[in-house]
Amino acid sequence: MSKVSFQVDALVRAKRRIGLRMVLVYAVLYAVFVLSHVFFPSFPGRDWDGISWGVLAGVALMVVSVAMAVLYHLLCSRIEREFRP
Amino acid sequence: MLYEQSRLAVGLFLMMIALVIGLSIHLVRRVSSPSGYFAAGGQVHWGVNGIAFVGDYLSAASFLGVSGMIATVGYDGFLYSVGFLSGWIVALFLVAEPLRRLGRFTFTDALDAHFNSRGLRLVAAISTLVVSIFYLIPQMVGVGALVTPLLGIPNYIGVMLVGVVVTVIVATSGMASTTYIQFIKGILLMVVATVVAWSVLERGLQMPQSPVVLDELAAVEQSDGRLQFDLPGCRVAEDWRERPAFAAGFLRVYQGDESAPWQIVSREDGRYRLRQTQFLERHEDGRWLYNGAPADSQRLFLVGTPARLTYEGRDVQATGPLSPLSFLRTVYHSELNLWPHKTYLDELGQVQVFYQKPVPGAELFQPGGLFALRSGSWTERLDFISLMLALICGTAALPHILIRYYTVPSQAAARKSTIVAIGGIGFFYLISLILGFGAMTGGHLNVMDSNMAVPLLARSFGMALFAVVTAVAFTAVLGTVSGLIIAASGAVAHDIMDRVLGLTMNATEKVVSGRLAAVLIGCISIYLGIVFEGMNVSYLAGWAFALAASANLPALLMALFWSRTTRQGVIASVLVGLVSALALIMLSPEMYLRYGLLASEAPFALNNPALVAIPLSWLTLIAVSLRTRPPA
């Protein structure tokens, strides 16, 4: 195996590791969101200063999606710089 | 009158058609190779591709369906938004870069990269076709809902017109024109949604100035069991107590030649108080009747108003301009007139009755409108989990989304374009919350067509905004349908004709075969758009997601991440996922309603098959791969 293809494989593996870890974190958050509706169905209807917990949780999950996407990009970019010949 | 035609709307509609066809013809010269036709040459800028992703994804199901669902059932519609957006995280973290690295034109390319198997290519192509066609249905249904009131033409002509336009777009310059149409559409959608949401907030909430007054009837039960009405000429059937309508909480009252189900509001000591409803039923000759007459008789009336408006702790007539948070807070503390519906079977067939029900705002912010989670029923709970599973797993397995990764030059560009998509789509779904509750309270809701909630909300601000919104919603459908058709034509021309059947074709012939396949898929989409008229488009999209998630995602992820995966395992997984998801959809309560039967008779209790079909597909892949592993 050439040095370049070994480096490409290592880069792919490194990014894959980050992706798998981050998707796991997100899956847990999503599962908590879904299961809280299943087991505590009146929870989303309760309010915090007139805004329902359900909307707050849903919007928070959306914001977390964007934040994690940006974080993933920053981490991948850093690794790509490290692997750049 | 529910809908009226506007010259401005028709003008904008025609201008959009001219623009997209002009663009397609302009780009046709650039499309001489399969790479140009199926992947826009692979040189699209990541920013453009990201917005095109937004345009590709925010289909009729999102623009019309999600807001429409929030407008009619409240919070449960918002749960769709959360699920739809979450799917993009799976796409970004697990699929975007490997797919760009391994594939060329189609989803099948990436799946088959390590196996080079003709059988695998065939099943993956079939799966792409089935998923794309299922996703085409809600788009075409949405376009029928839009074009019919806009142009004043029958639904089937509207669907045919749009089907022809979109087929022309794809059959001329393929992914090149599709990309730029989706890019334009993505920007337009976000701008228009922002303008409508801003208008809703600027207007604030207000009590209706001329509220719809529903007729009421009173009846007294006589000693012989008959009902005596306060209005002369009204009567009910002799066996009215035995009728399904009565069991559902209604009485069918006859006045002259006509009859209608009335809601039983109260009954005490043989005294009944009845209230007018809106209803949908099938006539003996097979036509659908809306409030007892054909659709063009305009008997439906618009609803959706506050029953009580509470702003900053006191009841008011109008709030004035509101911030997004004050808007949601005011809805939460107020009481709104909703129009839920019940369905029963009588001698003429299925009857769907919509009745007014004042509901406290707080109740609209918890599950119940679609998912009866508070009932404690495990069927409802499992159905909800199944849908949310389909939504998070489905996006990363939708072929028309996946092929967009081939249009950018690198893996980093694929990643960056996905992040742009997540930002744009997330922003749009946040706005949908305001649009949905704005439509619920704006007095312009058609209870029988939730898909029209946003256009009708726009109409409450004037015909100009209505015209712009319908024209943009029309491009929303065009952009997504063209993406779906190109994905399906790739499956036929590139996967099946070229790589499965091994037909020897030069570059030009491959492009021509792609174009012919696009025409064929376009014709199928027109037919399906007519057959499924009237269903909520987000609901239908949920099925497409379930199919994609069951048939494609386990195979794709395992092929990318599990080194023991074998081609036999992938083939079995795709087939099992596809067949089981399709079969369970056909046996679901919602389909039983479409067959004209009762939902309770359906053999499979869940409406969404993902909870069963995805694990089944996954287990099949693991079991078959382990059994067919070549010796070390």
Side-chain angles (χ1 to χ4, degrees):
Chain A
M1 184 183 282
S2 73
K3 191 182 170 193
V4 172
S5 74
F6 176 77
Q7 278 205 324
V8 169
D9 283 352
L11 175 62
V12 167
R13 275 200 303 274
K15 288 199 283 187
R16 180 191 294 177
R17 253 197 317 274
I18 295 173
L20 282 170
R21 283 177 189 166
M22 291 189 78
V23 88
L24 198 67
V25 171
Y26 190 83
V28 169
L29 294 176
Y30 187 75
V32 168
F33 179 79
V34 172
L35 294 178
S36 67
H37 285 73
V38 171
F39 293 108
F40 309 101
S42 32
F43 153 78
R46 294 190 193 143
D47 73 307
W48 180 75
D49 194 23
I51 306 293
S52 92
W53 276 109
V55 169
L56 285 173
V59 171
L61 200 58
M62 288 179 169
V63 172
V64 166
S65 306
V66 177
M68 286 182 75
V70 173
L71 179 65
Y72 174 73
H73 173 64
L74 293 175
L75 292 172
C76 286
S77 300
R78 198 175 72 182
I79 293 176
E80 282 164 354
R81 276 197 301 276
E82 284 170 10
F83 275 84
R84 197 169 291 152
Chain B
M1 197 156 135
L2 215 54
Y3 303 118
E4 54 198 282
Q5 290 150 39
S6 133
R7 284 186 185 174
L8 181 60
V10 174
L12 281 175
F13 174 82
L14 294 175
M15 201 177 82
M16 283 295 177
I17 290 181
L19 180 75
V20 296
I21 290 183
L23 185 66
S24 306
I25 292 169
H26 172 72
L27 291 170
V28 73
R29 285 185 199 158
R30 293 194 200 173
V31 182
S32 54
S33 67
S35 166
Y37 183 78
F38 292 116
Q43 292 303 317
V44 175
H45 185 271
W46 59 265
V48 173
N49 199 50
I51 300 291
F53 261 136
V54 176
D56 200 358
Y57 194 72
L58 292 181
S59 57
S62 288
F63 186 53
L64 303 177
V66 168
S67 303
M69 218 176 254
I70 296 173
T72 47
V73 299
Y75 180 73
D76 290 1
F78 175 65
L79 291 172
Y80 268 85
S81 319
V82 176
F84 279 139
L85 184 67
S86 298
W88 279 92
I89 289 292
V90 179
L92 173 67
F93 292 161
L94 300 183
V95 175
E97 293 182 64
L99 201 89
R100 177 64 191 83
R101 191 173 66 248
L102 297 173
R104 284 177 67 214
F105 303 146
T106 62
F107 154 73
T108 307
D109 284 341
L111 197 60
D112 188 43
H114 296 309
F115 304 108
N116 198 22
S117 154
R118 188 177 286 191
L120 192 156
R121 287 194 289 268
L122 180 63
V123 293
I126 290 171
S127 168
T128 299
L129 276 174
V130 173
V131 172
S132 300
I133 286 172
F134 254 78
Y135 207 73
L136 271 168
I137 298 172
Q139 311 310 321
M140 297 307 281
V141 169
V143 91
L146 268 174
V147 173
T148 302
L150 182 66
L151 301 181
I153 52 178
N155 180 71
Y156 71 94
I157 294 184
V159 172
M160 282 172 70
L161 179 69
V162 173
V164 168
V165 172
V166 86
T167 305
V168 169
I169 294 170
V170 180
T172 49
S173 41
M175 189 52 117
S177 56
T178 300
T179 297
Y180 288 103
I181 287 165
Q182 288 172 345
F183 173 73
I184 294 167
K185 165 198 156 182
I187 290 177
L188 284 176
L189 266 185
M190 286 191 282
V191 170
V192 166
T194 307
V195 169
V196 179
W198 179 82
S199 306
V200 168
L201 296 173
E202 270 301 294
R203 178 169 68 186
L205 292 160
Q206 51 196 15
M207 294 294 288
Q209 285 164 352
S210 49
V212 174
V213 179
L214 299 175
D215 292 339
E216 293 209 350
L217 284 175
V220 180
E221 191 174 354
Q222 306 295 301
S223 55
D224 60 358
R226 294 186 181 187
L227 282 181
Q228 178 73 45
F229 285 88
D230 61 347
L231 188 68
C234 289
R235 59 194 162 78
V236 291
E238 285 187 7
D239 59 345
W240 55 275
R241 276 184 179 281
E242 319 304 324
R243 295 292 175 108
F246 184 72
F250 305 98
L251 268 180
R252 181 168 283 276
V253 178
Y254 294 81
Q255 288 173 291
D257 295 339
E258 297 197 3
S259 71
W262 287 64
Q263 183 198 1
I264 302 172
V265 183
S266 67
R267 56 175 168 162
E268 208 174 314
D269 300 332
R271 294 176 180 278
Y272 287 78
R273 197 159 67 82
L274 309 177
R275 186 177 293 149
Q276 184 186 0
T277 62
Q278 302 207 67
F279 59 101
L280 176 66
E281 63 186 347
R282 219 185 251 283
H283 192 257
E284 286 165 334
D285 62 11
R287 283 179 305 154
W288 283 105
L289 298 180
Y290 301 79
N291 288 353
D296 52 12
S297 301
Q298 305 282 1
R299 283 208 192 167
L300 292 176
F301 47 88
L302 296 174
V303 296
T305 53
R308 172 179 52 76
L309 202 53
T310 305
Y311 176 58
E312 294 184 342
R314 41 196 186 87
D315 290 351
V316 295
Q317 286 297 308
T319 62
L322 293 166
S323 70
L325 286 181
S326 321
F327 176 83
L328 293 174
R329 204 175 278 137
T330 309
V331 172
Y332 186 90
H333 289 301
S334 300
E335 190 173 80
L336 307 178
N337 286 319
L338 287 200
W339 283 74
H341 72 272
K342 286 185 182 172
T343 304
Y344 61 85
L345 281 177
D346 72 4
E347 63 270 23
L348 290 177
Q350 201 181 86
V351 185
Q352 224 174 6
V353 188
F354 298 79
Y355 56 99
Q356 182 172 283
K357 182 183 174 192
V359 176
E363 229 174 84
L364 298 170
F365 286 93
Q366 51 191 315
L370 274 179
F371 316 116
L373 300 177
R374 281 176 290 158
S375 69
S377 146
W378 270 102
T379 305
E380 294 290 340
R381 290 174 176 181
L382 293 175
D383 210 6
F384 172 69
I385 295 173
S386 193
L387 173 73
M388 296 307 275
L389 185 66
L391 296 186
I392 193 172
C393 294
T395 301
L398 287 172
H400 73 289
I401 295 294
L402 297 179
I403 58 170
R404 184 145 287 296
Y405 284 119
Y406 303 133
T407 64
V408 288
S410 67
Q411 293 174 54
R415 185 175 72 233
K416 285 191 269 188
S417 57
T418 314
I419 294 166
V420 171
I422 290 173
I425 293 165
F427 172 74
F428 179 85
Y429 283 139
L430 286 181
I431 287 182
S432 294
L433 202 56
I434 303 294
L435 295 181
F437 282 112
M440 182 187 269
T441 53
H444 279 72
L445 197 60
N446 173 4
V447 292
M448 290 185 206
D449 193 355
S450 59
N451 300 326
M452 280 302 282
V454 173
L456 287 173
L457 170 67
R459 205 187 72 173
S460 71
F461 296 103
M463 288 308 283
L465 196 54
F466 172 70
V468 172
V469 165
T470 42
V472 169
F474 170 68
T475 58
V477 179
L478 282 189
T480 305
V481 172
S482 46
L484 285 162
I485 292 181
I486 196 138
S489 79
V492 173
H494 174 68
D495 295 336
I496 296 179
M497 291 172 70
D498 185 7
R499 305 200 63 216
V500 174
L501 299 177
L503 299 177
T504 313
M505 292 186 281
N506 61 30
T508 310
E509 286 166 345
K510 282 183 185 173
V511 173
V512 170
S513 58
R515 287 174 170 152
L516 289 175
V519 173
L520 175 70
I521 308 291
C523 294
I524 293 172
S525 68
I526 291 170
Y527 171 74
L528 293 172
I530 295 168
V531 171
F532 281 85
E533 177 194 354
M535 280 188 86
N536 180 288
V537 293
S538 264
Y539 199 93
L540 287 167
W543 281 346
F545 273 69
L547 271 176
S550 310
N552 297 347
L553 193 73
L556 183 60
L557 290 185
M558 295 301 260
L560 292 175
F561 294 103
W562 195 44
S563 57
R564 293 181 177 185
T565 305
T566 63
R567 68 181 162 80
Q568 294 94 330
V570 172
I571 292 171
S573 168
V574 173
L575 284 177
V576 166
L578 194 64
V579 172
S580 61
L582 267 175
L584 295 177
I585 286 173
M586 295 304 162
L587 299 174
S588 69
E590 185 64 34
M591 279 308 283
Y592 261 55
L593 283 177
R594 296 296 294 181
Y595 304 147
L597 302 169
L598 284 175
S600 55
E601 292 172 359
F604 181 61
L606 307 185
N607 275 314
N608 197 293
L611 192 61
V612 175
I614 294 177
L616 201 60
S617 169
W618 224 298
L619 289 174
T620 304
L621 186 143
I622 293 169
V624 174
S625 292
L626 289 176
R627 282 195 66 87
T628 53
R629 231 172 96 203

